[in-house]
Amino acid sequence: MTDVLTVRDTPISLQHPDRLYIDGRWVAPAGSSTLDVIDATTEETFFRVAETTPQDMDAAIAAARRAFDHSPWPFLEPRERAEYLRKLAAGLRARTEEAATFWTRQTGPVWRMSLGSISRVPNLFEYYADLADTYPWETLDTPEFAAFGAVVNEPVGVVGAIVPWNTPLSLAAYKIAPALLVGCTVVLKAPPEAPGELLILAEIADEIGLPPGVLNVVNGHRDVSEQLVRDPRVDKIAFTGSSAVGRQIAGLAGSRLARYTLELGGKSAAVLLDDYDLATAAASISQQECSLNGQVCMSLTRVIVSKHRHDEFVDALASTFGSVRVGDPFDPETQLGPLALAKQQQSVLGYIQQGIADGARLVTGGKRPAHLDRGYFVEPTVFGNVDNRSTIAQEELFGPVISVIPAENEEHAIELANDTQYGLNNAVFTGDVDRAYQVARRLRSGTVGHNGFKTDTRMGFGGFKQSGVGREGGIQGVAPYLESKTVLLDGTPTRFQ
């Protein structure tokens, strides 16, 4: 069965929306339930997929376990596995527009952002493929009580990868690419709200002949995710999502000493020092908050500015962010699209009302746009005079809402920035690069940018505190999928002579 859809001039198709990808085959699910995937702009169902049952998840885990324990996959040379990564990259590159269209319809990012972001995902697979020849898989040492010693890095085993609906393909790639490179096998649990791009990835895996069981792609709700986390056949969990769910996963995985990496929530601060131009900062922050319509864990949603400059900055931010054009994400003039889900729209609107009730000053936005009678839209919203301990300053809203917080001085600004349970991403705005570095070292977050929203996942990405455990991306993203083994021998093996 092929489900063909058309958006603007981009045809998108799924070969097997009624099946699951398990053990190298498209298999019928054990149950008859389906999942409706909703278009965030029209609020209409635009395709359906089979829903994973506990029996299906059990089969996927069994396939991954079998492929790891009884196939050559973990024992191939890294460069051999790297060739599969290159083929996955080529397949994704050929279907970039299709995957981007799924993403925009499911989650709401403007089309040009979707296209640009999806077009970079193949580069990630190629980056990890290139590490095959340079990563220190084996390190020789001089042991005290043996003739030969080496520390070898080996795959951790079966990986359960769980990704959210906001950026499913790129977040999956940061888990799958290093896991496959090192020789792990994977069960990927796609988000029920946004499975399209990951089903495309499964189709490509099937087309390139990835060995059976090495990558299994299923979907479903929290019950099957929890099953994946609890199963003793799964050696490691790689999760991206909320801090609340991350804590639950850490508890479940920790109870059986399973390995895990967690990329969790954020409430990131932009610290504006007094030498920086406010209009320039307002324009930069407004632009970055349009990214994925505010549905980004590392978004700079708390802006901390000196009290004597607060009102001037709020006016500048209200002018720039308030004038952002909201509408159809496929319209090239649109700057801000819809949120992904009806419940997310209601959640953000609820937070806005809470902010008003807590005494913050609503400067612009705060409701559904009057000119849009359908779609999960929320106006770009700015609050001023926000108490840093208030709900909207402390909790992750995941929508286009920016809180401006006054500080007494630079020292107080740093204290306010760090006064949160999160520590994912921050930024410092100043024309003095030395001050920028000094402040960056004092901000408790996994990334700190200068004069804007900046990340470089090839240098590693992750958070302090309740923003996560471990790092993804870059060479740092390989180690979480490895176990090190010390080998002590009475002589030197031929490969090292």
Side-chain angles (χ1 to χ4, degrees):
M1 172 179 156
T2 299
D3 188 9
V4 179
L5 314 153
T6 301
V7 177
R8 297 293 191 264
D9 297 323
T10 304
I12 58 178
S13 65
L14 294 176
Q15 298 173 8
H16 307 286
D18 58 337
R19 293 176 178 262
L20 307 169
Y21 188 64
I22 298 174
D23 204 18
R25 299 180 295 117
W26 290 98
V27 300
S32 59
S33 297
T34 58
L35 299 169
D36 287 352
V37 181
I38 307 300
D39 188 311
T41 304
T42 67
E43 304 185 32
E44 298 174 351
T45 298
F46 78 105
F47 73 103
R48 292 183 176 86
V49 294
E51 182 174 10
T52 302
T53 68
Q55 183 177 341
D56 300 319
M57 179 59 85
D58 180 74
I61 295 170
R65 186 77 258 171
R66 189 164 50 249
F68 187 80
D69 292 339
H70 303 294
S71 85
W73 179 258
F75 304 103
L76 298 176
E77 289 296 326
R79 67 175 64 92
E80 296 178 84
R81 293 189 293 264
E83 289 307 306
Y84 286 102
L85 296 187
R86 298 189 197 284
K87 291 177 182 178
L88 287 172
L92 284 170
R93 191 166 282 121
R95 299 182 70 175
T96 294
E97 289 194 9
E98 192 177 349
T101 302
F102 270 114
W103 190 20
T104 291
R105 292 196 69 176
Q106 293 166 152
T107 307
V110 295
W111 166 247
R112 63 182 176 277
M113 178 208 161
S114 291
L115 192 61
S117 182
I118 294 290
S119 69
R120 292 190 292 273
V121 174
N123 301 341
L124 179 64
F125 282 93
E126 291 170 340
Y127 169 84
Y128 281 106
D130 289 343
L131 286 181
D133 293 325
T134 60
Y135 193 82
W137 306 108
E138 301 164 310
T139 303
L140 299 184
D141 207 334
T142 304
E144 187 174 2
F145 302 110
F148 171 86
V151 176
V152 297
N153 288 301
E154 299 182 351
V156 69
V158 175
V159 173
I162 304 172
V163 297
W165 46 259
N166 63 330
T167 53
L169 181 58
S170 60
L171 292 174
Y174 279 112
K175 298 166 177 56
I176 293 169
L180 297 188
L181 172 67
V182 307
C184 294
T185 59
V186 180
V187 177
L188 173 63
K189 208 289 290 183
E193 305 89 349
E197 309 96 284
L198 300 182
L199 292 175
I200 287 176
L201 180 65
E203 290 179 4
I204 296 167
D206 190 38
E207 291 163 3
I208 67 172
L210 192 66
V214 168
L215 175 63
N216 307 272
V217 181
V218 295
N219 53 53
H221 294 286
R222 186 166 296 186
D223 57 336
V224 291
S225 294
E226 185 171 321
Q227 179 184 351
L228 183 62
V229 174
R230 287 182 179 276
D231 198 299
R233 294 171 293 178
V234 178
D235 299 291
K236 173 186 167 59
I237 297 296
F239 171 77
T240 299
S242 72
S243 295
V245 176
R247 287 192 293 271
Q248 295 173 5
I249 287 175
L252 292 172
S255 69
R256 60 183 186 85
L257 295 182
R259 277 58 173 155
Y260 58 85
T261 50
L262 307 172
E263 197 272 283
L264 306 178
K267 192 68 179 177
S268 302
V271 178
L272 273 58
L273 303 190
D274 283 350
D275 69 310
Y276 201 77
D277 181 70
L278 295 180
T280 303
S284 173
I285 291 167
S286 296
Q287 182 180 20
Q288 69 86 27
E289 184 60 10
C290 290
S291 176
L292 198 51
N293 314 322
Q295 299 169 123
V296 180
C297 55
M298 51 195 174
S299 187
L300 300 173
T301 56
R302 290 189 301 146
V303 184
I304 302 172
V305 60
S306 295
K307 181 185 296 183
H308 69 276
R309 304 213 305 165
H310 171 275
D311 291 351
E312 183 183 353
F313 176 74
V314 165
D315 289 343
L317 185 62
S319 176
T320 55
F321 198 42
S323 63
V324 162
R325 179 168 177 173
V326 184
D328 181 354
F330 288 97
D331 184 336
E333 299 299 318
T334 295
Q335 297 169 279
L336 191 75
L339 301 183
L341 313 168
K343 65 179 181 180
Q344 187 60 27
Q345 180 193 47
Q346 292 307 308
S347 173
V348 172
L349 292 173
Y351 273 118
I352 291 171
Q353 292 306 307
Q354 184 65 53
I356 295 170
D358 288 344
R361 179 166 67 93
L362 178 63
V363 183
T364 189
K367 58 186 183 300
R368 181 191 184 112
H371 69 287
L372 296 167
D373 59 358
R374 65 175 182 169
Y376 306 129
F377 295 93
V378 172
E379 292 177 330
T381 300
V382 174
F383 279 101
N385 292 312
V386 176
D387 183 338
N388 195 54
R389 301 307 303 164
S390 66
T391 299
I392 61 169
Q394 289 293 318
E395 296 189 15
E396 187 176 38
L397 276 63
F398 234 53
V401 181
I402 302 175
S403 296
V404 183
I405 301 165
E408 297 294 335
N409 48 45
E410 183 176 311
E411 185 69 24
H412 187 219
I414 295 170
E415 291 176 5
L416 290 170
N418 289 334
D419 184 17
T420 171
Q421 66 178 330
Y422 298 110
L424 189 58
N425 184 45
N426 283 316
V428 55
F429 288 74
T430 175
D432 186 332
V433 69
D434 292 325
R435 289 180 70 201
Y437 185 74
Q438 291 165 6
V439 173
R441 291 301 305 270
R442 297 183 63 192
L443 294 174
R444 297 283 294 165
S445 62
T447 298
V448 180
H450 185 204
N451 296 340
F453 174 89
K454 291 182 171 69
T455 61
D456 190 331
T457 47
R458 289 197 177 189
M459 295 174 64
F461 182 75
F464 289 18
K465 300 185 278 189
Q466 294 194 35
S467 285
V469 176
R471 295 294 182 267
E472 291 187 327
I475 196 167
Q476 295 182 64
V478 177
Y481 297 93
L482 293 169
E483 295 277 20
S484 65
K485 177 187 292 182
T486 300
V487 178
L488 303 170
L489 302 176
D490 290 339
T492 302
T494 302
R495 69 179 290 155
F496 296 105
Q497 293 177 0

